[in-house]
Amino acid sequence: MFCIFTYPMSNRCDVQNRKLDTGFRLTRVGVTGVKKPVRIKRDEKISLINDTLNCTIDVFVDLPAEQRGSHLSRNLEALREIVDESVRNPVTGIETLAANICRKLLIKHDYADTAEVFATAEYFRRSETPNGRETLELYTLFGEASAVRNGSLSKTIGVEVIGMTACPCAQETVGNVLNCKSDVAVMSHNQRNICTVSMTMNENENVEANELIDIVESSFSSPTYEILKRDDEAAVVINAHNNPKFVEDVVRDVLKRVVDRYTELPDDVYLVVRSESEESIHKHNAFAERQTTLGDLRESR
């Protein structure tokens, strides 16, 4: 003989709603690593390989101290509803998708005061090698959004780009050792440079991810390419050694180009630029970063 103890139906269905007397507020509770296809519609001038990005999405809300758990299934419902809507009405970018999900989360979670969404996607773009051969290059896009109930909603657009730097210090040293003429670009050691740039702004402002990619690629010693024939390979190496850069140079050049390009954006737009060079003659990497507002950059020029 045995007994089965059951809670009333309302308690069994809403364990998360049970009150705690000695709880603590949690800043983020949610789900991570959700994979969704998202339809994107760019400006007609922007060429996409296809109009669907495969996104990985993390979503969070805060949890009050007195509530035991968050309703995680509501996060997935919010994701599904917004992604399904993008099939009918494509979004302009994954940062817009993140903002839409934030709003939906605060509707689904009436106990939450804040919502945050982080999305990343692989992005292919047509390009050309130095000698004009067509290529298809891979980048990483990321979009974020943060919302406060009855308050502000901000969004972030960012890109990660891989390029190449040639070390100015080693180049000068080698030139002195070989007694080379100053107008000849001599050998140096090279690095694969990974640069990310992100811009956080209010919901009404917009920045095109392709423009950020162009800014970063023009700030390397040279862009890099998936496929290079011999003449293009030589051109990449020569171009890079004619344009040697430290990891710090990459960050500063990105900052300058962003300030020059986005004169219409307000001063409170928040900018993060990171550059990491994977060293070839050391076992460590070199890193540089700047976090600032457009207003601070404009004042410091």
Side-chain angles (χ1 to χ4, degrees):
M1 181 176 180
F2 61 93
C3 296
I4 298 176
F5 179 78
T6 60
Y7 288 109
M9 179 63 72
S10 60
N11 286 338
R12 284 193 289 126
C13 292
D14 294 313
V15 176
Q16 295 90 340
N17 284 341
R18 292 179 188 165
K19 303 301 181 183
L20 298 177
D21 295 328
T22 58
F24 295 94
R25 177 181 176 271
L26 301 182
T27 308
R28 289 178 181 165
V29 179
V31 296
T32 63
V34 181
K35 311 288 186 181
K36 290 290 183 181
V38 177
R39 287 197 65 203
I40 303 293
K41 182 175 176 57
R42 299 286 194 193
D43 185 284
E44 291 182 359
K45 298 177 182 178
I46 305 299
S47 175
L48 286 178
I49 302 308
N50 57 62
D51 63 357
T52 300
L53 295 178
N54 294 319
C55 295
T56 301
I57 306 171
D58 304 337
V59 301
F60 307 99
V61 295
D62 67 321
L63 188 67
E66 67 275 8
Q67 183 159 325
R68 182 177 180 183
S70 181
H71 297 78
L72 297 184
S73 63
R74 297 180 188 178
N75 300 320
L76 300 174
E77 290 173 351
L79 276 169
R80 186 199 65 218
E81 290 171 14
I82 297 300
V83 170
D84 286 351
E85 176 63 25
S86 81
V87 174
R88 297 184 294 273
N89 299 298
V91 294
T92 56
I94 59 175
E95 72 279 10
T96 303
L97 175 87
N100 293 342
I101 295 173
C102 268
R103 277 191 291 269
K104 183 68 72 171
L105 288 171
L106 290 179
I107 294 172
K108 298 280 187 182
H109 298 276
D110 56 1
Y111 50 82
D113 291 326
T114 63
E116 293 179 279
V117 177
F118 305 87
T120 61
E122 291 185 338
Y123 175 54
F124 288 92
R125 191 175 78 148
R126 292 184 178 90
S127 183
E128 285 188 355
T129 65
N131 289 310
R133 292 185 177 90
E134 291 188 1
T135 68
L136 194 60
E137 302 301 326
L138 175 64
Y139 307 89
T140 299
L141 306 183
F142 56 94
E144 304 172 5
S146 177
V148 178
R149 186 178 298 280
N150 300 321
S152 62
L153 192 157
S154 64
K155 65 182 183 182
T156 300
I157 177 65
V159 298
E160 179 184 280
V161 185
I162 297 174
M164 173 183 175
T165 52
C167 178
C169 182
Q171 186 178 66
E172 182 173 310
T173 301
V174 170
N176 291 336
V177 170
L178 298 179
N179 196 25
C180 294
K181 296 179 180 179
S182 60
D183 60 344
V184 177
V186 300
M187 68 189 79
S188 181
H189 73 92
N190 310 134
Q191 304 102 347
R192 171 181 287 181
N193 187 280
I194 302 169
C195 183
T196 63
V197 55
S198 66
M199 300 180 71
T200 301
M201 63 206 76
N202 68 53
E203 193 178 8
N204 296 323
E205 306 293 343
N206 290 291
V207 169
E208 172 55 50
N210 279 312
E211 292 179 350
L212 294 181
I213 292 173
D214 290 339
I215 286 172
V216 175
E217 287 199 319
S218 62
S219 300
F220 293 132
S221 293
S222 172
T224 53
Y225 305 89
E226 186 65 28
I227 298 178
L228 290 172
K229 305 301 279 186
R230 290 185 179 181
D231 58 339
D232 277 318
E233 187 177 75
V236 168
V237 173
I238 292 170
N239 291 342
H241 286 76
N242 279 325
N243 188 29
K245 291 192 177 184
F246 292 123
V247 67
E248 300 94 331
D249 295 325
V250 176
V251 171
R252 288 178 173 137
D253 286 352
V254 171
L255 293 171
K256 181 181 183 303
R257 287 182 169 92
V258 167
V259 173
D260 290 343
R261 169 61 185 84
Y262 297 109
T263 57
E264 77 287 357
L265 290 178
D267 285 345
D268 62 355
V269 171
Y270 193 73
L271 177 67
V272 179
V273 181
R274 298 187 179 100
S275 177
E276 184 168 12
S277 287
E278 298 179 340
E279 295 282 6
S280 59
I281 65 170
H282 304 292
K283 292 181 172 62
H284 57 262
N285 294 340
F287 179 86
E289 177 184 89
R290 176 69 189 273
Q291 300 187 28
T292 186
T293 64
L294 282 182
D296 285 343
L297 288 178
R298 289 162 179 160
E299 289 180 2
S300 63
R301 298 195 68 176

